[in-house]
């Protein structure tokens, strides 16, 4: 089993319009609502990859009931309501505009303790864990790092995909795998790398301090993986166009699937699969799904380059 932890879930709303322009009325072509949040998206993609998952985190009763219709879930009911995220998807060129609500504050003084107990109880049956997404009010930035420490102490490979102070604290946990995007990497390292080689230089101090791997996502430019054993970049000859929302979650699903299957993964091969899986999410207008045929088609086209460390 692979466990995903989503502490600030959301109802994902997708409005499709012909072309979005500020300051005018739009006729919405279609509307789609689904349960979401980064960990939920990871779980959905893992299911498409044939991996059994369980989702936990915080929710309200209505969200947990809706999630249970789709996934095995075990939420702590500690939110008074669940936020919404709105994506305006333009049909003419696939451009996506996102509006993300901040989320409610947890309404119980022992919510974090309950989540720790829930996760700890699931770890003996878990082969991999992903902690991802933002934190609701009342949850301190140290919580993701505490969850990661518990999982790694149980021998469970863990990805932490968070931001800000939470990412800084998670980066202090030996053995963790981090998957920051460009902005998150800048806030973590203070550097703005523009090339794969610069990314390696920015990340190397984290590896030296004990981080197992950093897989930096670079949008259409692909990804860079840095470990103690080497560094590689991977990208497609041409970037995919479409909705990038959820592409990072799809990549996280591919990475944790590989780590759960093999304690010593082939990092270049893992990176190829992550790039292809991420691209297969871009062509889908909603987050949390991939086009498996596109993933299979693109895998041979991914170009991997070994980088100097």
């Amino acid at each position: 089993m692979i466990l995903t932890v989503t502490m600030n879930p959301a109802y994902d709303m997708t409005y499709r319009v012909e072309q979005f322009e500020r300051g005018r009325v739009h006729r919405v072509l279609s509307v789609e609502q689904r349960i979401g949040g980064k960990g939920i998206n990871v779980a959905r993609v893992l299911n498409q990859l044939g991996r059994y998952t369980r989702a936990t985190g915080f929710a309200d009763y209505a969200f947990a009931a809706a999630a249970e219709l789709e996934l095995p879930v075990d939420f702590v009911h500690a939110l008074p309501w669940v936020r919404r995220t709105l994506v305006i998807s333009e049909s003419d060129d696939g451009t996506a505009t996102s509006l993300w609500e901040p989320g409610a504050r947890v309404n119980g003084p022992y919510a974090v303790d309950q989540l720790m107990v829930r996760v700890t109880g699931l770890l003996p049956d878990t082969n991999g864990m992903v902690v991802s997404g933002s934190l609701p009010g009342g949850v301190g930035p140290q919580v993701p790092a505490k969850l990661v420490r518990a999982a790694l102490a149980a021998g469970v490979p863990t990805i932490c995909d968070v931001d800000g102070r939470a990412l800084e604290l998670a980066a202090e946990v030996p053995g963790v795998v981090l998957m920051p995007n460009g902005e998150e990497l800048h806030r973590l390292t203070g550097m703005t790398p523009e090339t794969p080689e610069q990314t390696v230089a920015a990340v190397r101090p984290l590896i030296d301090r004990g981080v197992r791997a950093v897989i930096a996502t670079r949008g259409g430019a692909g990804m860079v993986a840095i470990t103690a054993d080497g560094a590689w970049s991977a990208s497609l000859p041409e970037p995919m166009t479409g909705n990038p929302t959820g592409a990072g979650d799809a990549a996280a699903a591919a990475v944790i699937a590989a780590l759960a299957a093999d304690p010593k993964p082939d990092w270049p091969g893992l990176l190829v699969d992550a790039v292809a899986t991420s691209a297969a999410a871009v062509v889908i207008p909603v987050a949390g799904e991939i086009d498996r045929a596109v993933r299979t088609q693109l895998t041979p086209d991914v170009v991997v380059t070994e980088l100097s460390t």
Side-chain angles (χ1 to χ4, degrees):
M1 180 181 74
I2 295 176
L3 183 66
T4 68
V5 183
T6 308
M7 284 177 271
N8 199 15
Y11 291 103
D12 288 341
M13 305 285 298
T14 301
Y15 285 2
R16 293 186 181 87
V17 301
E18 193 70 33
Q19 185 177 27
F20 179 71
E21 296 179 19
R22 292 178 56 197
R24 75 173 184 88
V25 176
H26 296 80
R27 295 282 185 182
V28 178
L29 302 177
S30 65
V31 180
E32 182 167 345
Q33 174 178 296
R34 50 165 43 192
I35 59 166
K38 289 183 69 64
I40 297 292
N41 293 339
V42 173
R44 273 204 185 96
V45 175
L46 282 167
N47 280 345
Q48 288 188 272
L49 297 177
R51 300 305 301 264
Y52 175 71
T53 64
R54 181 172 291 274
T56 188
F58 299 124
D60 64 3
Y61 285 96
F63 185 93
E68 195 169 7
L69 296 175
E70 184 178 344
L71 299 165
V73 299
D74 197 357
F75 282 105
V76 175
H77 300 150
L79 294 176
W81 49 270
V82 170
R83 66 192 177 119
R84 292 168 298 177
T85 61
L86 174 62
V87 174
I88 303 171
S89 178
E90 301 180 49
S91 59
D92 61 343
D93 63 358
T95 299
T97 303
S98 300
L99 301 173
W100 295 351
E101 294 180 3
R105 184 181 184 86
V106 294
N107 58 5
Y110 304 108
V112 171
D113 293 337
Q114 289 176 308
L115 181 61
M116 290 297 303
V117 170
R118 195 74 51 92
V119 170
T120 302
L122 291 169
L123 287 176
D125 299 317
T126 299
N127 289 6
M129 187 173 82
V130 179
V131 180
S132 57
S134 59
L135 305 179
V139 176
Q142 75 280 2
V143 175
K146 289 178 63 177
L147 291 167
V148 171
R149 288 185 189 277
L152 293 174
V156 177
T158 302
I159 294 172
C160 196
D161 184 7
V162 293
D163 194 10
R165 180 59 178 160
L167 179 58
E168 294 176 2
L169 293 173
E172 296 176 2
V173 181
V176 68
V177 176
L178 306 177
M179 293 191 65
N181 60 27
E183 294 179 358
E184 293 163 350
L185 186 62
H186 169 72
R187 287 189 283 270
L188 178 62
T189 66
M191 301 175 66
T192 307
E194 297 181 357
T195 67
E197 291 77 12
Q198 291 173 352
T199 302
V200 174
V203 166
R204 177 51 59 183
L206 300 174
I207 302 298
D208 292 341
R209 291 200 296 269
V211 171
R212 181 182 182 186
V214 175
I215 300 177
T217 58
R218 307 176 65 234
M223 303 178 195
V224 178
I226 304 98
T227 73
D229 297 325
W232 305 265
S233 68
S235 62
L236 289 167
E238 296 290 337
M240 301 294 290
T241 59
N243 178 15
T245 307
D249 300 330
V255 173
I256 196 61
L259 295 177
D262 188 350
K264 296 182 178 180
D266 168 31
W267 288 100
L270 177 153
L271 201 56
V272 167
D273 188 39
V275 169
T277 305
S278 178
V282 172
V283 299
I284 301 292
V286 295
E289 290 188 16
I290 62 171
D291 187 319
R292 286 180 291 181
V294 169
R295 173 175 174 259
T296 301
Q297 177 185 352
L298 292 178
T299 298
D301 296 334
V302 178
V303 178
V304 178
T305 304
E306 187 169 5
L307 305 171
S308 172
T309 58

